[in-house]
């Protein structure tokens, strides 16, 4: 095994004999003239995000903070859901009449599958691409939670929306450096493998709903 | 042009690893293309599909005012990475290990497969679930596992279709693009359990059958295998991009995760991801963002696999790296934009290239990884139109590389060439000799004019002899005029 | 203004009428045309086919032939692209620093016809009259290597009487590709079939381009299929004034 490592590294170095010995990676210029800062108009960001998510077939709306419980209840009712699995930290902060929030405290995969629906928070959302990002933090929960279920309801505040991908990666720096697993979600699962027709609902949640909270 | 030992074209890949495998099908491009050209179903599917993606891609890219700046950054980051690949790989290894992962190095496909076989055996698994990975196809991993009695289940819809049909993929991104819905329907009915007898060929129904069929397996298999789109040296973050959710499942639900990556997939810093996660989705599926992108580092307590193994694969990449001009081909992020704009690929499909890497990038990567002995016809499978270079998100100058490989093919394989090709080479050299000498050139012009007399009728030459016959198979050639331009000019200028 | 003409081996031998048209247009625009007779071939076919070393003497000859020329024009985007984009590589291969320098000095002085007329001579109207329906095929070299952009179209639009019709999928390669047309003749023909179909669908009487190589390929199929549609080089259209005698 270490033979392989030594040999590969040695071959690499031989192959790069044309690179001057004193050159460091930073000496190779990387121009970053692409857009790194987007606009910060909150209302516009939210509406762009919702529009893009809707284009993917996700349910996306603005919800006034005081109407959140009602909105969740309405969503669950519409889809015949009685239970929502959720990260324990989220369960502590939410109460929804008629919906049982099941804390993900070591739930098995089969149990999550049976519950079939989950509600999580979000780390950051990207308006330009219609993306919500979960970063394994306490409100986002572990990855299986938002993966195995058929319905995923994602909550975020309007101050969590940025315009551009580079801005989102700036906000994710801490999570990445802490080595937390991150999932970027842009719409429910889809495939275009059959005659290039986009069909929803392969192996991830077939229903994605995103609620952006205002006036928290 | 020189490799480290003064050898042009970085010597090693010129013929070191010949033989048949995923990179080196039998025959040559021309033979395989000939068969494909007459396959009207394939032609129809390809024309429809590639046109559709081209239009979508143009729209997705057109939305970004800073697309060219992103491309330049994408190119530069890869250049920075490749010029210091050893440093970045060492940093990656350290980061992954620090995050609780294990790193394995593999010089070639066999070594990678042995490593993976051992890991799977150690986990006591007889089945594994796989997210689509071209790299694992390059090394024929599934076959290697089968030798051990381990069944590898493809979980990407198109890969599954290809696997069930005992077929080979014909496109990097949409591997089953050569199959239409009716074929897929009948394939599923033949090979999967509990498929409803009244299944229609509506894509939504076909998808539902696959979903149901795979789900149990996805939720309960203990070993998952994936590829890698990017691996960040700074933080040990591995990134995987997908649409269906099966890659998330393969990388999150099993106990043991094995990810295989070509050594060129490493990128220096987490900031670099902001460039590639814009370039890749718009170039490949022509979306603003693909449905799911997973980023993970080693293992995380209580979230995902308890064991993570990263296999770093060479398999010819170090040879490609040694070629100063060719090395840029290693920048490829496997978006397949070049396939979708290539007029040759559109008419021949992926199988004609005889490699898991088809199309324009395949025509340069395959010979660089597998050697010209095995893939020497591929650099000629191009009219050098340059459409690929225009769309490549990391600005790989594919036409330049094709010409570079042709020069390598001409200069360094005279021993292998059969007689007919040797004659071709002599002819080209003779023509160059003539063109370099004005009087010979003018003599040749006069001789050509004489020689065509018996062939010309009504101002047209209908049939050219010998190696030129390919022209007149489908084209006339107009008769050579009685006076060359320079003869006319001399006449005009004469006092 | 003195302009040196690089006629190209293809036009010299097969399409001298393109050269005659070039001379006509350039003289009409007030230039004095010269033909340095040492010229033969730019070496493109050899370089692109992998015979890079064999192209070295051809590069030397070209550079020597035009060393004293202030401006060089060619009726071929592909030859001009060879000089501007690939000559540095061939010079590097030769290991001859003098050749590398000479190439560097000559490159910016070598232009394709539409570049010369639009940029250097600063005009689009060359006094042409050509009352026919014409489709323009943008060749890969002119479009993607020289980036001539709209120049040829601007020139065609200024031709009196000319009806420019739209060519579908114009940007798609015609399939010539030099030796590709012979080495992969079947794929080349498949691409050509689609290009011909688009030409016919455009309703054009004439298909034009900035490269005789593509025109020879497209025209060869138009002729074989007895379509009644013919090809003409851009220079020939620009040279037309309606006063030419037939034939």
């Amino acid at each position: 095994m270490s033979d392989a490592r030594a040999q590969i590294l040695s071959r690499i170095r031989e192959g790069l004999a044309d690179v001057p010995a004193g050159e460091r990676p930073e000496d190779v210029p990387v121009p970053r003239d692409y857009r790194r800062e987007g606009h910060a108009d909150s209302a516009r960001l939210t509406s762009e995000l919702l529009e893009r998510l809707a284009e993917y077939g996700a349910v996306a709306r603005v919800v006034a903070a005081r109407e959140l419980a009602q909105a969740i209840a309405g969503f669950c009712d519409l889809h015949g859901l009685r239970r929502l699995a959720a990260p324990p930290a989220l369960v502590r902060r939410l109460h929804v009449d008629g919906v049982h929030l099941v804390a993900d405290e070591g739930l098995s995969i089969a149990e999550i599958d049976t519950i079939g629906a989950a509600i999580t928070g979000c780390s950051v959302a990207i308006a330009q691409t219609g993306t919500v990002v979960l970063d394994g933090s306490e409100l986002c929960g572990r990855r299986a939670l938002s993966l195995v279920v058929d319905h995923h309801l994602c909550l975020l505040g309007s101050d969590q929306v940025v315009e551009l991908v580079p801005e989102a990666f700036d906000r994710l720096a801490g999570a990445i450096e802490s080595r937390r697993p991150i999932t970027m979600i842009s719409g429910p699962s889809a495939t275009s493998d059959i005659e290039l027709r986009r069909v929803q609902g392969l192996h991830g949640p077939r229903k994605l709903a995103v609620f952006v909270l205002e006036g928290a | 042009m020189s490799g480290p030992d003064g050898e042009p074209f970085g010597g090693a890949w010129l013929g070191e690893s010949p033989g048949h495998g995923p990179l080196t099908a039998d025959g040559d491009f021309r033979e395989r293309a000939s068969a494909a050209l007459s396959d009207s179903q394939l032609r129809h599917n390809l024309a429809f599909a590639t046109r559709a993606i081209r239009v979508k891609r143009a729209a997705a890219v057109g939305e970004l005012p800073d697309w060219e700046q992103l491309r330049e950054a994408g190119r530069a980051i890869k250049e920075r990475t490749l010029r210091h690949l050893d440093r970045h790989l060492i940093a990656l290894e350290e980061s992954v290990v620090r995050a609780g992962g294990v790193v394995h190095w593999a010089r070639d496909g066999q070594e990678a497969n042995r490593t993976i076989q051992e890991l799977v055996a150690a986990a006591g698994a007889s089945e594994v679930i796989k997210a689509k990975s071209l790299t694992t196809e390059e090394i024929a991993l599934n076959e290697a596992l089968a030798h051990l009695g381990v069944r590898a289940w493809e979980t990407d819809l198109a890969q599954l279709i290809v696997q069930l049909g005992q077929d080979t993929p014909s496109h990097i991104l949409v591997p089953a693009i050569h199959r239409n819905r009716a074929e897929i329907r009948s394939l599923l009915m033949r090979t999967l359990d509990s498929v409803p007898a009244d299944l229609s060929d509506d894509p939504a129904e076909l998808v539902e059958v696959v979903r149901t069929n795979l789900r149990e397996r996805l939720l309960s298999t203990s070993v998952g295998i994936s590829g890698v789109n990017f691996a960040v040296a700074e933080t040990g973050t591995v990134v995987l991009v997908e649409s269906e959710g099966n890659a998330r499942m393969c990388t999150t639900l099993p106990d043991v995760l094995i990810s295989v990556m070509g050594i060129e997939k490493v990128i220096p810093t987490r900031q670099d991801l902001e460039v590639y996660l814009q370039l890749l989705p718009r170039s490949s599926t022509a979306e603003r963002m693909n449905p799911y992108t997973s980023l993970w580092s080693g293992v995380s307590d209580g979230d995902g696999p308890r064991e993570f193994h990263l296999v770093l694969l060479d398999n010819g990449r170090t040879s490609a790296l040694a070629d100063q001009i060719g090395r840029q081909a290693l920048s490829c992020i496997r978006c397949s934009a070049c396939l979708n704009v290539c007029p040759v690929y559109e008419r021949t499909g992926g199988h004609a290239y005889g490699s898991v890497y088809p199309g324009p990038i395949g025509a340069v990567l395959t010979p660089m990884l597998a050697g010209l002995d095995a893939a020497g016809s591929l650099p000629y499978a191009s009219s050098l139109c340059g459409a690929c270079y225009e769309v490549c998100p990391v600005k790989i100058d594919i036409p330049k590389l094709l010409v570079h490989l042709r020069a390598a093919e001409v200069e360094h394989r005279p021993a292998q060439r059969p007689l007919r090709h040797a004659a071709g080479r002599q002819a080209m050299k003779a023509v160059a000799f003539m063109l370099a000498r004005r009087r010979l050139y003018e003599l040749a012009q006069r001789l050509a004019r004489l020689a065509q007399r018996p062939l010309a009728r009504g101002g047209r030459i209908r049939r050219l002899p010998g190696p030129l016959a390919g022209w007149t198979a489908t084209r006339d050639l107009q008769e050579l005029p009685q006076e060359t331009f320079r003869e006319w000019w001399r006449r005009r200028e004469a006092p | 203004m003195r302009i040196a003409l690089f006629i190209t081996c293809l036009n010299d031998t097969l399409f001298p009428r393109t050269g005659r048209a070039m001379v006509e247009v350039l003289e009409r625009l007030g230039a004095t045309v010269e033909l340095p007779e040492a010229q033969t071939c730019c070496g493109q076919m050899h370089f692109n086919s992998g015979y890079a070393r064999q192209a070295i003497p051809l590069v030397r000859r070209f550079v020597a032939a035009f060393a004293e020329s202030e401006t060089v024009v060619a009726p071929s985007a592909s030859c001009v692209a060879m000089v501007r984009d690939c000559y540095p590589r061939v010079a590097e291969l030769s290991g001859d620093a003098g050749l590398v320098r000479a190439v560097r000095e000559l490159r910016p002085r070598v232009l394709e016809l539409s570049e010369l007329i639009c940029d250097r001579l600063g005009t689009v109207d060359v006094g042409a009259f050509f009352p026919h329906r014409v489709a323009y095929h943008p060749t890969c070299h002119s479009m993607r290597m020289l980036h001539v952009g709209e120049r040829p179209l601007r020139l065609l639009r200024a031709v009196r009487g000319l009806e420019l019709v739209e060519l579908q999928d114009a940007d798609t390669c015609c399939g010539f590709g030099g030796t590709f047309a012979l080495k992969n003749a079947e794929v080349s023909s498949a691409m050509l079939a689609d290009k011909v179909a688009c030409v016919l669908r455009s309703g054009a009487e004439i298909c034009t381009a900035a490269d005789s190589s593509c025109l020879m390929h497209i025209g060869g199929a138009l002729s074989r299929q007895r379509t009644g549609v013919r090809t003409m080089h851009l220079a020939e259209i620009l040279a037309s004034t309606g006063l030419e005698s037939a034939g």
Side-chain angles (χ1 to χ4, degrees):
Chain A
M1 288 308 143
S2 65
D3 274 343
R5 182 183 189 276
Q7 229 182 71
I8 292 173
L9 288 172
S10 156
R11 277 194 216 154
I12 290 174
R13 286 167 187 142
E14 276 167 28
L16 293 173
D18 60 299
V19 177
E23 184 187 291
R24 301 156 305 154
E26 314 83 78
D27 295 328
V28 182
V30 172
R32 295 194 193 264
D33 303 327
Y34 50 88
R35 290 181 69 208
R36 296 208 71 251
E37 246 180 66
H39 71 80
D41 177 342
S42 180
R44 198 173 131 205
L45 285 173
T46 299
S47 90
E48 276 169 10
L49 174 71
L50 298 179
E51 198 183 296
R52 298 274 145 99
L53 280 168
E55 280 175 41
Y56 295 142
V59 169
R61 29 187 286 239
V62 172
V63 173
R66 56 192 154 71
E67 288 166 3
L68 178 60
Q70 207 179 323
I72 296 173
F75 176 82
C76 291
D77 203 45
L78 188 60
H79 298 282
L81 305 170
R82 292 289 174 75
R83 299 187 292 165
L84 288 175
L90 190 54
V91 175
R92 288 195 285 277
R93 300 198 198 181
L94 265 184
H95 176 82
V96 182
D97 281 331
V99 179
H100 178 203
L101 297 175
V102 181
D104 178 20
E105 273 153 349
L107 289 175
S108 71
I109 300 303
E111 284 168 326
I112 300 177
D113 193 23
T114 306
I115 297 171
I119 181 167
T120 70
C122 166
S123 169
V124 62
I126 310 172
Q128 186 195 62
T129 59
T131 304
V132 293
V133 186
L134 275 59
D135 68 353
S137 56
E138 59 170 19
L139 287 177
C140 293
R142 62 168 164 147
R143 291 175 286 176
L145 190 57
S146 48
L147 170 61
V148 171
V149 296
D150 216 13
H151 295 79
H152 174 206
L153 184 44
C154 184
L155 306 178
L156 64 147
S158 57
D159 61 336
Q160 288 176 272
V161 187
V162 296
E163 189 197 347
L164 303 174
V165 172
E167 292 176 302
F169 271 91
D170 285 342
R171 295 229 190 158
L172 288 168
I176 294 177
E177 270 151 30
S178 308
R179 313 299 191 258
R180 290 203 302 270
I182 290 167
T183 310
M184 299 172 68
I185 298 169
S186 310
S189 98
T191 178
S192 302
D193 278 336
I194 298 178
E195 293 182 357
L196 287 184
R197 240 147 269 228
R198 190 183 170 107
V199 175
Q200 307 280 22
L202 214 31
H203 301 294
R206 286 182 285 194
K207 276 269 170 318
L208 171 68
V210 176
F211 289 175
V212 178
L213 297 168
E214 298 228 296
Chain B
M1 190 115 132
S2 300
D5 45 353
E7 268 253 17
F9 314 108
W13 56 261
L14 286 173
E16 204 174 65
S17 43
H20 303 292
L23 294 174
T24 57
D26 278 331
D28 71 6
F29 176 81
R30 182 158 48 175
E31 286 162 25
R32 294 187 294 258
S34 185
L37 287 170
S38 338
D39 180 345
S40 59
Q41 161 105 25
L42 176 74
R43 296 281 305 263
H44 181 82
N45 288 1
L46 280 172
F48 171 77
T50 58
R51 181 179 293 265
I53 312 180
R54 277 202 294 277
V55 168
K56 281 187 73 183
R57 181 208 157 266
V61 159
E63 272 188 5
L64 292 187
D66 56 343
W67 181 251
E68 288 303 320
Q69 290 88 331
L70 283 165
R71 283 181 83 211
E72 180 52 27
R75 183 206 64 74
I77 294 168
K78 285 288 180 176
E79 184 180 27
R80 171 183 282 183
T81 306
L82 292 171
R83 284 175 77 83
H84 300 277
L85 189 61
D86 53 331
R87 266 196 246 226
H88 291 118
L89 288 174
I90 291 170
L92 174 66
E93 180 184 48
E94 279 169 20
S95 305
V96 170
V97 168
R98 216 177 312 128
V102 182
V103 176
H104 311 260
W105 300 68
R107 285 164 282 200
D108 58 23
Q110 280 120 298
E111 191 163 32
N113 288 337
R114 263 199 313 277
T115 304
I116 298 170
Q117 283 171 330
E118 282 165 17
L119 292 171
V120 172
S126 58
E127 288 194 330
V128 304
I129 44 175
K130 278 189 72 204
K132 179 177 105 169
S133 158
L134 276 175
T135 312
T136 62
E137 282 165 52
E138 180 191 326
I139 62 178
L141 173 64
N142 293 5
E143 288 81 341
L145 289 174
H147 275 313
L148 268 197
V150 174
R151 178 78 201 258
W153 286 97
E154 293 292 346
T155 58
D156 263 65
L157 176 60
Q159 282 303 107
L160 179 66
I161 291 169
V162 165
Q163 185 179 50
L164 293 175
Q166 293 176 341
D167 204 346
T168 51
S170 69
H171 187 286
I172 281 177
L173 193 68
V174 200
I177 207 172
H178 56 294
R179 294 220 182 255
N180 65 19
R181 59 172 78 180
E183 289 179 304
I184 293 171
R185 174 188 170 276
S186 75
L187 180 63
L188 295 178
M189 297 203 68
R190 262 190 297 124
T191 55
L192 292 183
D193 299 326
S194 21
V195 175
D198 61 348
L199 179 68
S200 77
D201 66 3
D202 174 52
E205 273 194 49
L206 297 174
V207 159
E208 181 58 33
V209 164
V210 172
R211 178 189 164 103
T212 315
N213 224 277
L214 281 181
R215 192 167 174 84
E216 177 51 41
R217 197 161 287 128
L218 283 168
L219 263 46
S220 62
T221 307
S222 64
V223 177
I225 299 181
S226 82
V228 167
N229 288 100
F230 310 101
V232 180
E234 186 189 29
T235 55
T237 311
V238 174
V239 183
L240 196 55
V241 158
E242 62 156 333
S243 299
E244 299 170 19
N246 59 306
R248 286 176 71 187
M249 292 199 168
C250 291
T251 56
T252 313
L253 304 181
D255 295 321
V256 176
L257 171 60
I258 303 165
S259 297
V260 186
M261 72 176 250
I263 52 178
E264 82 282 23
K265 300 286 184 70
V266 63
I267 58 176
T269 67
R270 58 167 175 76
Q271 192 192 15
D272 298 325
L273 288 175
E274 70 192 22
V275 173
Y276 295 108
L277 290 179
Q278 294 193 70
L279 291 173
L280 182 56
R282 294 188 192 247
S283 299
S284 61
T285 48
E287 298 173 297
R288 297 184 181 111
M289 188 64 76
N290 51 291
Y292 303 127
T293 301
S294 304
L295 298 85
W296 73 90
S297 216
V299 293
S300 295
D301 214 18
D303 185 348
R306 50 173 177 69
E307 255 182 71
F308 171 60
H309 298 270
L310 182 64
V311 179
L312 300 176
L313 177 72
D314 179 353
N315 205 34
R317 286 153 176 76
T318 47
S319 302
L321 190 67
D323 178 346
Q324 286 177 51
I325 293 182
R327 146 190 324 161
Q328 60 180 285
L330 294 175
S331 302
C332 178
I333 62 175
R334 308 289 191 272
C335 71
S336 79
C338 61
L339 272 68
N340 296 324
V341 296
C342 178
V344 173
Y345 175 86
E346 183 178 331
R347 290 162 180 82
T348 63
H351 293 155
Y353 293 78
S355 164
V356 298
Y357 301 118
I361 190 63
V364 304
L365 257 186
T366 306
M368 294 180 77
L369 296 178
L372 276 172
D373 276 345
S377 66
L378 292 184
Y380 296 95
S382 167
S383 65
L384 302 178
C385 82
C388 49
Y389 185 19
E390 265 187 341
V391 301
C392 178
V394 291
K395 290 174 140 176
I396 299 171
D397 190 345
I398 298 177
K400 180 179 185 181
L401 296 182
L402 289 165
V403 171
H404 174 68
L405 290 172
R406 291 175 186 188
E409 206 263 345
V410 162
E411 294 228 347
H412 289 268
R413 299 179 54 236
Q416 270 89 14
R417 307 314 289 152
L419 207 59
R420 187 183 61 139
H421 291 171
R425 272 165 179 55
Q426 286 318 306
M428 283 295 274
K429 290 182 178 173
V431 169
F433 185 88
M434 174 270 289
L435 289 172
R437 291 156 181 78
R438 178 169 68 93
R439 295 205 194 283
L440 269 187
Y441 163 74
E442 292 177 3
L443 176 63
Q445 288 180 309
R446 291 197 292 277
L447 287 175
R449 210 161 43 209
L450 276 174
Q452 65 155 356
R453 287 242 189 89
L455 302 170
R457 292 268 181 288
R460 275 186 276 255
I461 299 171
R462 311 281 183 75
R463 199 171 305 172
L464 286 167
L468 303 176
W471 181 273
T472 43
T474 54
R475 295 155 280 222
D476 286 341
L477 183 65
Q478 60 143 73
E479 196 175 32
L480 267 65
Q482 278 317 297
E483 196 178 44
T484 62
F485 177 77
R486 59 184 64 211
E487 285 169 343
W488 173 83
W489 177 268
R490 278 179 202 137
R491 218 170 24 89
R492 193 183 98 126
E493 297 294 286
Chain C
M1 187 186 183
R2 309 185 77 81
I3 301 179
L5 176 60
F6 174 53
I7 185 57
T8 80
C9 61
L10 183 69
N11 286 301
D12 191 13
T13 315
L14 266 148
F15 306 106
R17 58 182 199 254
T18 302
R20 291 195 292 273
M22 290 281 285
V23 173
E24 165 70 37
V25 174
L26 293 171
E27 287 181 343
R28 199 191 300 154
L29 293 173
T32 305
V33 181
E34 296 168 342
L35 186 78
E37 293 215 19
Q39 63 181 271
T40 55
C41 168
C42 70
Q44 183 194 173
M45 177 180 73
H46 282 82
F47 181 72
N48 283 346
S49 303
Y51 292 84
R53 295 204 195 282
Q54 283 70 28
I56 295 174
L58 302 180
V59 170
R60 279 195 201 285
R61 172 165 282 275
F62 184 97
V63 166
F66 292 99
E68 306 302 309
S69 310
E70 203 184 290
T71 308
V72 182
V73 69
S76 167
S78 63
C79 299
V80 172
M82 174 67 192
V83 174
R84 298 221 298 250
D85 291 6
C86 304
Y87 268 26
R89 176 98 196 99
V90 181
E92 189 194 325
L93 268 176
S94 75
D96 176 351
L99 185 60
V100 171
R101 228 177 6 253
V103 162
R104 190 170 48 233
E105 280 160 20
L106 179 57
R107 280 172 68 221
R109 303 185 338 240
V110 180
L111 301 172
E112 176 271 335
L113 179 64
S114 72
E115 291 181 316
L116 176 83
I117 298 178
C118 294
D119 301 350
R120 288 294 171 85
L121 301 179
T123 186
V124 293
D125 187 341
V126 303
F129 172 68
F130 193 71
H132 299 277
R133 273 183 147 193
V134 174
Y136 171 70
H137 163 66
T139 64
C140 298
H141 281 106
S142 64
M143 198 176 38
R144 296 194 182 100
M145 290 182 79
L146 296 184
H147 303 285
V148 299
E150 292 279 298
R151 290 176 185 78
L153 287 167
R154 283 174 13 221
L155 291 171
L156 288 169
R157 285 191 194 114
V159 175
R160 271 179 297 290
L162 188 151
E163 186 191 342
L164 193 58
V165 292
E166 204 185 299
L167 184 64
Q168 208 179 12
D169 294 339
D171 286 2
T172 304
C173 179
C174 68
F176 176 68
T179 51
F180 175 78
L182 292 173
K183 288 189 81 122
N184 271 292
E186 287 191 60
V187 181
S188 170
S189 298
M191 291 163 71
L192 179 57
D194 288 333
K195 180 61 69 175
V196 165
C198 291
V199 170
L200 295 179
R201 214 173 290 140
S202 74
E205 191 193 323
I206 286 145
C207 175
T208 190
D211 280 279
S212 295
S213 44
C214 302
L215 291 173
M216 178 173 69
H217 172 76
I218 298 171
L222 289 170
S223 162
R224 172 62 58 91
Q225 293 169 36
R226 304 292 186 266
T227 60
V229 178
R230 62 192 166 102
T231 53
M232 283 175 75
H233 191 280
L234 176 66
E236 295 181 83
I237 293 180
L238 296 178
S240 300
T241 53
L243 301 174
E244 300 80 28
S245 52

